[in-house]
Structure formats: structure tokens, C-alpha cells
Amino acid sequence: MILRPVFALLMVASSAAMSLSQASAAEPKDGSAAATTEAEVVLTPEEKAEKKARRACKVALCKGLHAKDANAGTVACHVVKSWRQEQMVKLVGKLKVKWPYEGVHCATDVSVKGSDLAKAMSEPKAELVLDKHTVTCSVARKEQDATEFKFELSPKIKFENGKAASAHANWGKIEAPTLIKSALWTATAADNTVNILSSTIVEEVNEFASKKCDEVKDEWASKR
């Protein structure tokens, strides 16, 4: 769902949301539609470039999440992330909405206080509240030019003992052509009402703070 931007955005949930994560789409080597294991994932040159570009933001976020004090500065970075068609079908399907288009390419400017990240991980209970983020996306459609759309969200994530416990995407305004806006509005309105994607955001955040941060630990640990 488009929530991976928030945490691929935030990479937190970087969505987030928007996936808020760093996992790239899996594609069978033989080109079939069947799922593959992580070891079989084949990244396109564009996906490799995106992943490399997100690394600095990933390191900065991990440094904030694992800081020993709450005096860290603001983490600010530009995040770009693409989702293949099969990923969008699976993610949006959680909201019982069909995705009749192809892949999506999204970008946003992420800003979060390092002190808020540190508190989320170190205090018994804490709430990480992100400012409103505008995500700009381009969706591919067969035999047509790519279509641009934008959406807003202001994620809130509650932490308990250093782990995300609950979350809410808080979807806002959507600017998109009628057909795409209808699908997104249906999905986001449902999520704002019953918070269907809370568990997805929580899983994304906890995986990012542990597994994904471990992947670049040598970099963020040396900068503390």
C-alpha cells in the first residue's frame, strides 16, 4: 500500500508508510508471477540507484533511533521509492481495494527530530508524531503517459519499551485524477476510520529499527 512511503518514507514506517520500508519488490528470475525468496530478488538498475540514495537517510534515522541521549538534531532527507505493480496489488488489497494500474514511483522530504526518535526507543512509553508530509507520486498506466498524484499524511506511532505498539497513518488531502483519487480515497478513508493498516506500520517500524538498522550499524554507530 502506499503506506510504505511513510516508513520507506520514514524508512519510519522509512512509510510508512510511504512502508514507512527498505525492502524492494521481489521478482522471479524466470519472470513468473509467483513469489520468490529474498535471496532470489532481482533489482533493476533504477531500484539499485534508489536504494543507494536512501542509505544516508537510513543511517541518519538509525542513529537517531539508537542514540544514547535525546540531544540529537533533526533528521531531514529526500526519500525516493518505487513499488512494482505486484507490490501495490498486495498492499492496497489489505484495504479491500483493487489496484488496476502498474507500478508507482514516489518521493517526499522527510523531517523528524532526532530527540523524538531517541525518546521513542528509550522511554517506557512515548509517541512519535510526525509533521504533515506531502508525498508526490507517478503511476504508470498501460499505453498511456504516467499520471501524477499527491497525498498528505501525518503519522503517529506509539512506542512501548523501545518497540512500536500501535500506529495511525492519518491520511490527508489527495490530489489525483478522478479514477486514481477514487481508489485512494476509498482506501485512505477506510484506514482513517478503522485503522486497518496499524499492524502493517508497526511491523515496518520494528523491522526497520532492528533488522534494517543492523545492516548499516557500522555507519551509524561510528557517528554517535
Side-chain angles (χ1 to χ4, degrees), residues 85-137:
Q85 182 184 40
E86 57 267 32
Q87 287 179 295
M88 293 300 300
V89 169
K90 181 178 180 180
L91 291 168
V92 176
K94 293 182 179 181
L95 293 171
K96 309 302 180 183
V97 176
K98 293 184 178 180
W99 184 259
Y101 312 107
E102 296 185 45
V104 175
H105 177 84
C106 296
T108 191
D109 291 311
V110 175
S111 179
V112 57
K113 293 180 180 178
S115 57
D116 289 344
L117 293 173
K119 290 177 182 177
M121 297 294 287
S122 61
E123 297 186 354
K125 289 188 177 182
E127 184 175 59
L128 179 62
V129 181
L130 304 183
D131 292 334
K132 182 187 297 180
H133 283 70
T134 298
V135 182
T136 301
C137 299

Side-chain angles (χ1 to χ4, degrees), residues 5-137:
V6 183
F7 221 77
L9 277 182
L10 252 196
M11 264 173 248
V12 177
S14 87
S15 177
M18 259 245 104
S19 235
L20 258 180
S21 63
Q22 296 306 298
S24 297
E27 181 179 80
K29 289 183 178 180
D30 62 3
S32 70
T36 64
T37 64
E38 186 174 352
E40 296 175 316
V41 172
V42 178
L43 300 182
T44 65
E46 292 77 12
E47 288 170 332
K48 290 180 180 178
E50 287 180 9
K51 186 174 182 179
K52 182 177 179 181
R54 290 194 300 268
R55 190 176 183 90
C57 190
K58 182 177 179 179
V59 171
L61 286 167
C62 290
K63 178 183 176 182
L65 286 168
H66 295 276
K68 294 181 179 179
D69 57 55
N71 296 319
T74 297
V75 176
C77 46
H78 184 68
V79 178
V80 177
K81 184 76 172 71
S82 294
W83 287 264
R84 299 181 187 183
Q85 182 184 40
E86 57 267 32
Q87 287 179 295
M88 293 300 300
V89 169
K90 181 178 180 180
L91 291 168
V92 176
K94 293 182 179 181
L95 293 171
K96 309 302 180 183
V97 176
K98 293 184 178 180
W99 184 259
Y101 312 107
E102 296 185 45
V104 175
H105 177 84
C106 296
T108 191
D109 291 311
V110 175
S111 179
V112 57
K113 293 180 180 178
S115 57
D116 289 344
L117 293 173
K119 290 177 182 177
M121 297 294 287
S122 61
E123 297 186 354
K125 289 188 177 182
E127 184 175 59
L128 179 62
V129 181
L130 304 183
D131 292 334
K132 182 187 297 180
H133 283 70
T134 298
V135 182
T136 301
C137 299

Side-chain angles (χ1 to χ4, degrees), residues 13 157-158 164-167 197-207:
I157 306 166
K158 291 185 178 181
S166 63
L197 296 170
S198 176
S199 61
T200 299
I201 303 174
V202 168
E203 290 171 5
E204 294 275 355
V205 174
N206 288 331
E207 181 183 16

Side-chain angles (χ1 to χ4, degrees), residues 137-173:
C137 299
S138 174
V139 58
R141 296 193 291 172
K142 292 182 179 179
E143 300 179 357
Q144 297 185 45
D145 292 335
T147 299
E148 303 288 331
F149 65 94
K150 297 180 180 180
F151 62 89
E152 297 175 345
L153 69 174
S154 308
K156 292 184 179 180
I157 306 166
K158 291 185 178 181
F159 286 77
E160 293 183 7
N161 300 315
K163 290 188 175 183
S166 63
H168 204 298
N170 291 321
W171 301 94
K173 183 172 64 176

